[in-house]
Amino acid sequence: MFKWEVVDPAPGEPVAPHQRLAWGKTVGLGAQHVVAMFGATFVFPLVMGLDPNLAIMFSGICTVIFLLICSNRVPSYLGTSASFVASVAAIRAQGGDSADVTGAIMVGGIVLALVGLVVHFAGAHWIHRILPPAVTGAVVMLIGFNLAPVVAGIYWPQDQWIALITAAFMVFAAVMLPGFWSRIAVFLALIFGYLLSWIADALFGSINSVLPTGPDAVEHDRISWAGVKAADWIGFPSGTLGDGVSVVHGPSFSTTFILLVLPGVIALIAENTGHVKAVAEMTKTDLDPYMGRAIGADGVATALASAFGGSPTTTYAENIGVMGATKVYSTAAYYVAAGVAILLGLCPKFGAIVNATPGGVLGGITVVLYGMIGLVGAKIWVENQVDFGNPVNMVGLAAGLIAGIGGVTLKITNDFSLSGIALGTILVIVFFHMVNGREGAGAGGVTRNLSHPETDDKPLR
């Protein structure tokens, strides 16, 4: 499995997963994969209140696990997933801490691993029956749009002008910059916002705004590097998170919080399925026998990372986009990328720099990213030709979307209730299948790839 055929292809000739270029070029490609995954992989832990340094390190570890489980047949990088961001916001809004967050996500990872096991032995066709594109698109949409209050209430108010300018730059970079640069728009926007905040501190002084740690506005610098100066250059991720929980911690389990994250599993099933199909199309190979392995590997990786306080993982479209641009599909490059990520995770000073990201910068990035997550649901509908002239799709999904996005609550007992994403997802699935097949053909859309290499090169999770 670790013997790659060394090739020196002509320009434009593809390099297969079982092949590799000379090690010098392979290392260069691995570094390119690190840059591609970098921005989103540490932005999402920040917005979930987890440690970005630990997330970077586990992204490398989990990528190795993914490659091993898939027998080096499916080239892919596992970065931080956004599928649970809205669920994490809901958990924290209900008083849960980081241990509750990672405990719920760990269960979600185990469920995803079990789904992968079933797919491996039963085939992927049953996924499309239970979760057709109409349902999957609705769930992804309500996950993304459910995050709107998080931007409006937490990040944007910290520095609205920095947030607005950063958001404008990210939109410009993602669309107008050429090729590879557009794929790392999140990373570029973070650097831009960081520099802009530093200039604003120098020109205008400190700002008076509300921080996530308190309800009252306080005077503070946009950038504080006190933690950076105190951090070591080499060491394991350590310290405490914003809610007082240790960076490396064991999970805590709550049925209520677990139900909040299960909709994210549906999004990950669709995402992994689409990414495997996209890689298969790019490499001109049949990867269906590895579909269950890929889904299960992502579940195992998410559960493992969460067991130590890390962030959930998913296959990254950014890195699939890099392969599309370079036509190098060698899994050797991904092992290099994983090694670099692990080394970065072992540099606490790097993590302290990331943790010092100004709130206004996160506000600008998340206002675009969260909207993009929601619109991926619409993208799934469009690509799969979901017909909203059919009342099965129109009426069957309507109640779940409003319940999920609007935060509707269904009180079942004095101690247990369903609300937001959890309730919305249940209503979408139950109502859709309650009426599916009773109003003519075409409900749910056609079963097609949910991702395409020519479009999946943008920073969408």
Side-chain angles (χ1 to χ4, degrees):
M1 194 163 64
F2 295 100
K3 292 182 179 179
W4 293 275
E5 176 189 351
V6 181
V7 295
D8 185 18
E13 292 269 334
V15 177
H18 66 278
Q19 298 175 328
R20 69 168 174 85
L21 302 173
W23 277 118
K25 294 180 179 178
T26 298
V27 169
L29 284 165
Q32 188 171 344
H33 280 298
V34 171
V35 174
M37 67 83 185
F38 191 74
T41 293
F42 72 71
V43 165
F44 288 125
L46 281 177
V47 299
M48 286 190 286
L50 301 175
D51 185 67
N53 226 40
L54 192 64
I56 291 288
M57 186 176 76
F58 266 105
S59 75
I61 295 171
C62 291
T63 295
V64 172
I65 291 173
F66 180 91
L67 294 171
L68 292 175
I69 292 177
C70 294
S71 299
N72 284 346
R73 297 287 184 176
V74 185
S76 193
Y77 193 92
L78 292 193
T80 304
S81 170
S83 297
F84 297 111
V85 172
S87 302
V88 170
I91 290 172
R92 294 194 183 278
Q94 295 184 27
D97 61 13
S98 295
D100 295 314
V101 166
T102 52
I105 292 175
M106 183 179 178
V107 174
I110 293 171
V111 171
L112 183 63
L114 293 175
V115 170
L117 194 63
V118 172
V119 171
H120 182 68
F121 290 104
H125 62 278
W126 70 272
I127 291 180
H128 301 301
R129 293 181 181 177
I130 300 174
L131 301 173
V135 171
T136 304
V139 172
V140 174
M141 181 173 286
L142 69 85
I143 286 174
F145 291 163
N146 195 266
L147 290 164
V150 177
V151 178
I154 297 178
Y155 297 115
W156 191 273
Q158 292 184 47
D159 196 334
Q160 61 175 2
W161 295 112
I162 294 292
L164 180 61
I165 298 171
T166 301
F169 176 85
M170 182 171 167
V171 170
F172 175 85
V175 178
M176 302 302 292
L177 295 183
F180 174 75
W181 296 104
S182 67
R183 286 190 287 271
I184 60 170
V186 176
F187 182 50
L188 296 177
L190 187 136
I191 295 175
F192 173 82
Y194 222 118
L195 292 174
L196 188 65
S197 298
W198 177 75
I199 293 171
D201 275 340
L203 293 179
F204 307 115
S206 57
I207 187 174
N208 188 276
S209 65
V210 177
L211 293 170
T213 54
D216 300 321
V218 295
E219 195 81 15
H220 63 93
D221 291 333
R222 294 170 180 82
I223 298 177
S224 173
W225 272 31
V228 177
K229 295 176 182 177
D232 296 327
W233 280 102
I234 300 175
F236 286 100
S238 61
T240 56
L241 300 168
D243 57 3
V245 176
S246 297
V247 165
V248 180
H249 60 266
S252 178
F253 303 99
S254 163
T255 302
T256 300
F257 297 152
I258 289 170
L259 288 174
L260 287 174
V261 306
L262 291 182
V265 175
I266 295 174
L268 285 178
I269 292 171
E271 194 167 57
N272 278 278
T273 301
H275 286 187
V276 172
K277 291 288 188 182
V279 173
E281 184 176 330
M282 295 167 71
T283 58
K284 307 301 179 187
T285 55
D286 179 16
L287 294 180
D288 280 355
Y290 294 92
M291 183 75 73
R293 290 195 188 196
I295 295 172
D298 190 15
V300 170
T302 292
L304 176 66
S306 300
F308 293 91
S311 303
T313 62
T314 186
T315 51
Y316 257 28
E318 288 92 331
N319 298 90
I320 292 177
V322 171
M323 290 191 294
T326 62
K327 294 190 177 181
V328 177
Y329 312 111
S330 173
T331 53
Y334 282 100
Y335 280 104
V336 172
V340 173
I342 293 170
L343 291 176
L344 284 175
L346 295 174
C347 179
K349 195 171 287 290
F350 161 76
I353 293 173
V354 174
N355 276 315
T357 303
V361 178
L362 291 177
I365 291 173
T366 54
V367 76
V368 180
L369 276 180
Y370 292 171
M372 290 170 70
I373 294 170
L375 289 175
V376 168
K379 176 173 175 278
I380 291 173
W381 285 340
V382 171
E383 290 180 349
N384 292 275
Q385 301 174 3
V386 176
D387 178 16
F388 284 100
N390 188 326
V392 172
N393 296 324
M394 177 67 78
V395 183
L397 304 177
L401 282 170
I402 292 301
I405 296 171
V408 172
T409 298
L410 179 66
K411 187 175 181 180
I412 299 174
T413 69
N414 290 332
D415 301 319
F416 180 73
S417 62
L418 290 171
S419 63
I421 298 172
L423 178 61
T425 299
I426 292 172
L427 292 182
V428 163
I429 295 174
V430 172
F431 286 176
F432 178 86
H433 286 290
M434 183 175 71
V435 297
N436 188 23
R438 291 167 175 79
E439 282 291 340
V446 296
T447 301
R448 300 186 350 176
N449 295 357
L450 300 186
S451 293
H452 300 282
E454 68 271 20
T455 58
D456 254 354
D457 58 353
K458 304 299 181 187
L460 304 179
R461 283 286 51 74

